Amino acid sequence: MRIYEVELPRITCPERFGSLVRSIVDIDELRRVGQAAGLDDVSVAGVAPIVEAQMAIEERKSRGLHGGMNFTFGNPARAANPSLLFNGAKTVVVALRRYRAPSPIPAVQANSLRVRPRGEVAAYVRSDEYGALREGLRAIELHLQAVGAKTEIVFDDNRLADRAVAAKAGLGWLARNTMLIHPQLGSWTVIGSLVTDLEIGEPAEGLSDGCGSCRRCSTDCPTGALGEFGVLDANKCLAWLLQAKGAFPRDFRRSLGGRIYGCDDCQVTCPYNESSEEAASASYLRSEGVDILKLLKASDSELMDEFGHWYIPRRRPEYLRRNALVVLGNIGDPGDPEVAAVLETCLVSDEPLVRSHAIWAALRLGKEDLVKRNLSPALLRNDPEGIVREELLFWNLLHDVGSA
């Protein structure tokens, strides 16, 4: 028997024994079960609609601040109402799991002279935190099912505004950077919930704002996406733009720097993360950085095998190459023959998204000769959205295509 599994008499009709079930199951017991299974904190909230969360989501969407993001913006009324998850729901058990804060990515030298470009990955995907979160929630679920409770685990799911319900459960406050900040754990946490038909404990009191007059996250955001307290302009957020469809906005390509997936700047700068507690338990560590040249040389199947756990627009690998080319343009070595060879391959890609960003990367690195060698009508083939044409027009090269 695993340490977090507790043998209890199975009650098949909990509605007939409500007081007995409540005497067996309380929040302190669930917290012990969850922490034994790798969670860092557990609390509970009722299932009444979180009206302020729905209003906030709808207001941001009406202003276009969602930047085409779906997630909870798709159905705000549903996302802010835990009672809609199933008939008879009475309590949301909310859990946090802390993950490691990011550390600098070590440089990898290809030889004694050159350093291979490596893309930065957000801290929460450097390890399998959602897998560990699921295991912790499953331990609580088994505990509740042993007394006949109906349950459903929900995390990273459009059906529930996880930060809002965690704040309602008293696990932190919604900060200036829109993250949930736990007083001891900071904001380096993933959030998961378990909805049940049992009434468990008393509703927790929400925590008051702890940000005060601090504006570090707003000031340090590389694109100015956090201009208002608690409001994120997704149109400027690098983490979202890396997941959005279409061309990567030219105005923010230089700001992307070496980020290949996610952006941690607004959390790194937060004072509550300077002295927050370490994670309760370690999970499987993936690579902390991505070899950009290796990524751009990989086949579609190789890319999806290695990075399929990321959110990739339309599940199409050309978006990984799009992002990698922006990174390469920012941090690549213009004198590296391997960089030149990779760019040349991308300039003749079948995908217009790849060709257009290869043009930008090459010219950003001063490799105009590479682009001019490939200036031909073939460069504009299969370009229904005109993104290759637009890139060439931006660099005043479109008129050269016909004469090449």
Side-chain angles (χ1 to χ4, degrees):
M1 182 175 68
R2 303 179 77 171
I3 189 171
Y4 55 77
E5 293 176 352
V6 179
E7 291 191 43
L8 295 172
R10 182 163 185 82
I11 299 174
T12 56
C13 299
E15 67 277 4
R16 294 178 56 192
F17 303 99
S19 61
L20 173 60
V21 170
R22 281 190 289 273
S23 70
I24 294 174
V25 178
D26 61 38
I27 182 55
D28 291 334
E29 178 65 18
L30 294 185
R31 187 174 291 116
R32 284 192 293 271
V33 170
Q35 289 176 340
L39 302 177
D40 289 273
D41 203 358
V42 178
S43 188
V44 294
V47 296
I50 310 173
V51 178
E52 61 274 20
Q54 179 179 342
M55 292 176 61
I57 296 169
E58 291 174 342
E59 187 266 344
R60 285 146 180 71
K61 186 175 182 179
S62 70
R63 293 168 60 188
L65 297 177
H66 63 310
M69 189 187 299
N70 190 37
F71 301 135
T72 55
F73 289 103
N75 191 337
R78 180 187 64 183
N81 190 349
S83 70
L84 298 179
L85 288 165
F86 64 74
N87 290 332
K90 294 181 180 178
T91 303
V92 186
V93 181
V94 191
L96 302 182
R97 175 178 167 82
R98 191 180 191 278
Y99 53 89
R100 292 180 178 89
S103 54
I105 300 172
V108 176
Q109 289 192 323
N111 52 48
S112 60
L113 298 176
R114 304 194 187 284
V115 176
R116 294 182 69 82
R118 291 179 67 78
E120 302 168 19
V121 177
Y124 80 96
V125 290
R126 294 186 184 185
S127 52
D128 185 15
E129 297 306 329
Y130 279 111
L133 177 67
R134 176 186 290 278
E135 185 173 341
L137 290 169
R138 178 60 177 155
I140 294 176
E141 181 175 54
L142 291 172
H143 191 79
L144 293 176
Q145 288 177 346
V147 294
K150 182 179 179 180
T151 60
E152 183 172 352
I153 291 174
V154 184
F155 65 89
D156 195 27
D157 192 312
N158 298 352
R159 296 177 299 159
L160 189 63
D162 53 5
R163 296 176 193 175
V165 76
K168 183 179 179 181
L171 288 173
W173 67 91
L174 298 179
R176 173 178 287 277
N177 63 0
T178 76
M179 303 297 291
L180 178 87
I181 296 184
H182 185 285
Q184 287 76 46
L185 302 173
S187 65
W188 301 114
T189 59
V190 286
I191 306 169
S193 298
L194 184 149
V195 185
T196 179
D197 59 352
L198 292 184
E199 291 182 1
I200 303 171
E202 297 296 324
E205 292 187 10
L207 300 184
S208 58
D209 166 52
C211 295
S213 60
C214 178
R215 294 183 54 86
R216 281 198 202 176
C217 57
S218 295
T219 302
D220 291 350
C221 175
T223 59
L226 293 166
E228 303 173 43
F229 188 101
V231 177
L232 172 72
D233 185 351
N235 300 286
K236 299 178 179 180
C237 176
L238 295 174
W240 166 243
L241 294 176
L242 285 164
Q243 298 182 10
K245 301 172 185 176
F248 196 96
R250 193 176 292 108
D251 290 346
F252 301 121
R253 291 178 188 176
R254 294 191 179 208
S255 298
L256 186 66
R259 303 170 185 84
I260 187 69
Y261 193 80
C263 176
D264 288 326
D265 286 27
C266 67
Q267 296 191 79
V268 169
T269 192
C270 177
Y272 282 96
N273 286 330
E274 292 176 353
S275 58
S276 53
E277 295 178 1
E278 290 300 314
S281 61
S283 57
Y284 168 73
L285 273 178
R286 300 187 178 105
S287 174
E288 294 187 344
V290 174
D291 185 320
I292 295 299
L293 296 176
K294 180 181 176 183
L295 185 157
L296 288 168
K297 292 178 178 179
S299 67
D300 288 357
S301 60
E302 288 170 338
L303 288 178
M304 297 310 291
D305 285 346
E306 184 166 358
F307 303 109
H309 58 285
W310 291 1
Y311 179 85
I312 302 170
R314 301 171 177 169
R315 305 304 294 166
R316 284 167 50 177
E318 63 262 31
Y319 282 100
L320 292 170
R321 297 187 180 100
R322 174 199 71 176
N323 297 341
L325 283 163
V326 178
V327 171
L328 184 62
N330 287 328
I331 67 173
D333 181 351
D336 186 345
E338 188 178 3
V339 169
V342 165
L343 286 171
E344 188 124 38
T345 299
C346 291
L347 284 168
V348 296
S349 168
D350 289 336
E351 295 294 340
L353 189 69
V354 175
R355 296 198 303 274
S356 65
H357 288 76
I359 293 169
W360 182 87
L363 294 172
R364 169 94 162 102
L365 291 173
K367 310 291 287 182
E368 188 173 354
D369 58 313
L370 286 181
V371 178
K372 287 191 171 181
R373 276 207 304 269
N374 289 278
L375 282 178
S376 71
L379 194 60
L380 296 172
R381 73 189 187 283
N382 184 31
D383 185 25
E385 297 176 9
I387 56 176
V388 178
R389 179 179 294 274
E390 182 183 349
E391 196 65 45
L392 290 170
L393 187 62
F394 175 80
W395 293 98
N396 294 317
L397 290 172
L398 183 59
H399 64 281
D400 294 336
V401 173
S403 60

